[in-house]
Amino acid sequence: MSSKVASKLLVRTGRLQRPITGPRRFRKIKPELQIKSWKVVRGDSVEILAGKDKGTVGKVSQVLRGQNKLFVEGLNCHYRYLKPRDDFQGGMVQSEAPLHYSKVALVDPSDGKGTKVGFMFTKDGEKVRVSRRTGTIIPKPPELKVTRIREAYQGNNPSVFVRSLLQYYVKALL
């Protein structure tokens, strides 16, 4: 903080304060530092390589690509206090914290251990993930294939947004 800003804060408030910059946990990192090819997706089994849960295997529940972080179900948890409200008594609640991408390894389905991952193309031309240690193909999880658009369209009355998307794509194909 420059001396000019510090002196203005001292005059206005009577004490030195840090300028308000917004919540730090939701800031995106610089684009040149973002990971280009993600090998871990939602629903994958991963092994944690560092921290208090080191060596445990869990399932990825959420991926934050802009921050190079991901959440693993039931692991890397901490407790936070929530105030009482109308429908909630209040108290300590367990909450998952994000892990950095480099602190997890994808689990090899053949032996259940963490491994490095590479990409290869099959004879059909499909791009698949392959374990670098054993050479086994690591399939993408079935939860990943169900998207929000497909879930919305499964009902009898698809939303206006989905209908307009379908009409746009059908016109583009014809």
Side-chain angles (χ1 to χ4, degrees), residues 7-144:
S7 63
K8 283 184 182 178
L9 284 172
L10 279 170
V11 170
R12 231 184 292 154
T13 60
R15 62 182 180 174
L16 186 62
Q17 293 178 344
R18 195 175 71 102
I20 298 170
T21 56
R24 290 176 177 234
R25 64 183 170 190
F26 297 117
R27 287 188 189 163
K28 287 189 174 182
I29 62 171
K30 294 179 181 177
E32 63 267 8
L33 299 176
Q34 288 182 358
I35 296 168
K36 300 286 187 265
S37 62
W38 276 72
K39 297 173 176 112
V40 178
V41 293
R42 188 185 73 228
D44 274 334
S45 294
V46 292
E47 180 182 355
I48 297 182
L49 302 176
K52 63 180 181 178
D53 295 321
K54 180 179 179 179
T56 55
V57 176
K59 187 176 171 185
V60 176
S61 60
Q62 185 183 1
V63 177
L64 304 173
R65 291 183 186 230
Q67 299 178 6
N68 294 343
K69 294 184 179 182
L70 47 90
F71 289 89
V72 181
E73 289 179 0
L75 298 176
N76 197 30
C77 292
H78 63 277
Y79 287 91
R80 67 171 52 163
Y81 178 76
L82 293 179
K83 289 196 263 183
R85 294 188 184 160
D86 305 339
D87 55 345
F88 182 65
Q89 182 182 356
M92 301 298 282
V93 176
Q94 190 174 9
S95 173
E96 297 166 357
L99 283 163
H100 194 266
Y101 181 80
S102 64
K103 304 296 181 197
V104 297
L106 199 59
V107 170
D108 190 350
S110 63
D111 60 0
K113 295 179 183 175
T115 181
K116 290 185 176 181
V117 180
F119 288 108
M120 288 181 70
F121 289 94
T122 60
K123 293 178 183 177
D124 303 334
E126 184 183 354
K127 188 177 181 180
V128 292
R129 300 180 296 176
V130 178
S131 167
R132 292 246 178 111
R133 192 171 28 131
T134 61
T136 340
I137 293 177
I138 303 172
K140 291 209 174 176
E143 301 95 46
L144 187 67

